[in-house]
Amino acid sequence: MSTSSPDHRIDALLDLHRGLPRQGPGSDATTRRLLALAGELPARPRVLDAGCGPGRAALLLAAEAGAEGADVVAVDLHRPYLDELDTAAARLGLGARITTLARSMTELPYPDHSFDVIWAEGSVYTVGFDTALRAWRRLLAPGGVLVVTEAEWATRVPSPECRAFWDAAAPLRTTGANVTAAEAAGYRVDAVVPLPESDWWAEYYDPLAERIAAADTGRPGMAEAVAASGAEIRLRREYGREYRYTGYVLRHDPRPGATGPDGPGLWHVRPETAADAAAVREVLLAAFPTPLEADLVDALRNDAGAWRAGLSFVACTPDGLPAGYALLTRCHVGSAPALALAPCAVLPAHQRSGAGSAAIRAALGAARAAGEDLVLVLGHPQYYPRFGFVPASRFGIRVPFEVPDEAMMALPLGEDRAVPQGTVRYPAAFGL
């Protein structure tokens, strides 16, 4: 039985982690990727880095967010981490850009709309995803963006040992559940980005393992700290495919009619029902110059091999009428199943309002929650990358017809899921 007090164990754990590059999974590359997905920012944005730890992200944001860099308020309960950040900021000439505050990240002394960006890499689990999103919503300026990374299940049936660990540490949810929670909290989900496996190791678990090997387990509390950290690393090695960290880019604008990069407000989005068929056809007929797309959807509904229940979504006006539409149906890459995103459409009166983007995000979130691996789209190369799509050729995926390389795009739905190579086979209704 341990004779160490809880305070000794906490102090030992903090000492074991002190001076590490990071206090959780992440990388500068991931921070920059999420920053790019956050879209256009003010020239000198006001940034809150909540649960900043030693401030790796805060330093990068101060230097690179916005055309002129950012003014960052970095918040953490542990003052020694903030001291590390102050020292690093002074060394890099960023001391005037970064203000540190030792305080709870959900009890902050700032008026509403104080920040253009709220950033939280690897910290929301300490207070809970829902709690954090509610607490920070008032702090976002109109059109502001919230970027968080969160641990979550990558499988629908985790092993007992893995579930027991996380249930005791910080109970996890799936991507679909977190997307639903974010939308219920009043956010629009602009991007969902699984972190690569390397983000767990290069600047977190590998240097932590070196600390464990050199630790003085004779000091009070250190043996327990070493055992706990070692168990966490072993869990990742043995069960890493069952859970992951995922980055979210979220927007909230409380002003009625306010506009963001996708247009006014938040849309009510729901799965298509049988009663929507006529209205969806009207959307398609109005959005395209010929009835080909409307006829395609009708044909896909009658193709049991192509149609997937729950993967077609409508964005509705306040009176409940569909204004935007997005459809995912079964296709294949070689013999491997995938999904095709097509068609997507918006009534002309509501174009550039965010209705189409809202329907697409909902469809992609449903596909992730359903355990799908890959979505393909043939579309505008300036539009679909906002959802995470990249040229399909990067994965060795091709189509049986001539098309510009940048227009044929793919979106893997999970970092742990293999991306097949080969030629795309569309349902017969596409006539390809």
Side-chain angles (χ1 to χ4, degrees):
M1 178 178 295
S2 171
T3 59
S4 299
S5 70
D7 286 345
H8 282 146
R9 292 194 290 273
I10 292 171
D11 288 344
L13 189 63
L14 291 172
D15 284 346
L16 193 64
H17 284 249
R18 182 172 289 121
L20 293 179
R22 294 180 182 273
Q23 298 301 320
S27 66
D28 288 351
T30 290
T31 301
R32 289 190 174 100
R33 183 180 181 191
L34 292 170
L35 182 59
L37 289 169
E40 186 175 353
L41 301 176
R44 187 162 174 167
R46 302 162 297 166
V47 177
L48 170 67
D49 187 356
C52 64
R56 188 65 171 266
L59 294 168
L60 188 150
L61 294 168
E64 300 183 20
E68 302 173 5
D71 292 314
V72 179
V73 174
V75 176
D76 201 279
L77 277 173
H78 189 51
R79 185 71 241 182
Y81 288 158
L82 298 177
D83 292 341
E84 289 182 39
L85 173 54
D86 284 333
T87 299
R91 185 178 68 250
L92 296 171
L94 296 170
R97 290 293 186 91
I98 297 177
T99 301
T100 57
L101 176 65
R103 189 156 180 156
S104 166
M105 61 185 179
T106 57
E107 299 175 3
L108 296 171
Y110 299 103
D112 293 357
H113 315 317
S114 290
F115 298 99
D116 303 299
V117 180
I118 298 178
W119 202 275
E121 288 193 47
S123 59
V124 294
Y125 78 93
T126 62
V127 296
F129 191 78
D130 299 346
T131 298
L133 267 57
R134 287 194 300 270
W136 295 335
R137 187 172 56 195
R138 71 169 186 84
L139 296 173
L140 274 178
V145 62
L146 168 61
V147 177
V148 303
T149 66
E150 174 70 321
E152 56 190 30
W153 292 122
T155 178
R156 284 168 284 184
V157 186
S159 60
E161 181 176 353
C162 194
R163 178 175 285 282
F165 174 90
W166 282 107
D167 283 352
L172 305 187
R173 298 191 298 206
T174 63
T175 300
N178 281 331
V179 167
T180 298
E183 292 173 342
Y187 293 89
R188 189 183 70 210
V189 182
D190 274 11
V192 179
V193 182
L195 273 60
E197 180 66 15
S198 56
D199 276 11
W200 290 81
W201 298 98
E203 295 183 347
Y204 184 41
Y205 280 156
D206 285 344
L208 179 58
E210 293 178 4
R211 289 286 181 83
I212 290 172
D216 176 11
T217 55
R219 61 166 282 189
M222 185 57 74
E224 293 92 333
V226 164
S229 297
E232 183 180 336
I233 294 174
R234 286 192 299 276
L235 189 84
R236 186 67 195 174
R237 293 190 189 281
E238 295 179 22
Y239 299 102
R241 293 179 64 84
E242 297 186 8
Y243 59 98
R244 61 178 168 236
Y245 255 91
T246 300
Y248 290 87
V249 178
L250 310 173
R251 290 191 185 275
H252 172 74
D253 193 334
R255 301 173 304 164
T259 58
D262 290 328
L266 295 168
W267 284 86
H268 172 61
V269 183
R270 58 173 173 78
E272 175 191 3
T273 68
D276 295 318
V280 166
R281 184 172 177 84
E282 290 303 315
V283 171
L284 295 162
L285 290 172
F288 294 101
T290 75
L292 289 177
E293 284 77 9
D295 293 343
L296 170 62
V297 172
D298 289 342
L300 288 168
R301 284 198 189 97
N302 293 319
D303 183 346
W307 192 262
R308 287 294 176 267
L311 293 185
S312 56
F313 279 79
V314 290
C316 296
T317 60
D319 57 4
L321 295 177
Y325 183 67
L327 173 63
L328 291 168
T329 51
R330 173 67 70 224
C331 66
H332 291 81
V333 177
S335 60
L339 294 171
L341 174 59
C344 303
V346 178
L347 286 173
H350 296 286
Q351 288 176 1
R352 303 187 65 80
S353 71
S357 294
I360 290 169
R361 291 189 185 94
L364 295 176
R368 287 188 183 92
E372 295 285 346
D373 295 334
L374 178 69
V375 176
L376 304 169
V377 67
L378 175 59
H380 200 295
Q382 300 304 314
Y383 179 72
Y384 287 99
R386 73 180 63 183
F387 306 105
F389 284 93
V390 298
S393 59
R394 294 187 187 178
F395 305 105
I397 298 171
R398 54 191 179 275
V399 290
F401 47 84
E402 290 295 324
V403 63
D405 182 71
E406 66 273 14
M408 186 64 213
M409 290 167 276
L411 172 64
L413 294 179
E415 181 235 338
D416 63 317
R417 302 170 189 174
V419 178
Q421 297 182 352
T423 301
V424 181
R425 292 191 292 113
Y426 288 94
F430 281 86
L432 299 173

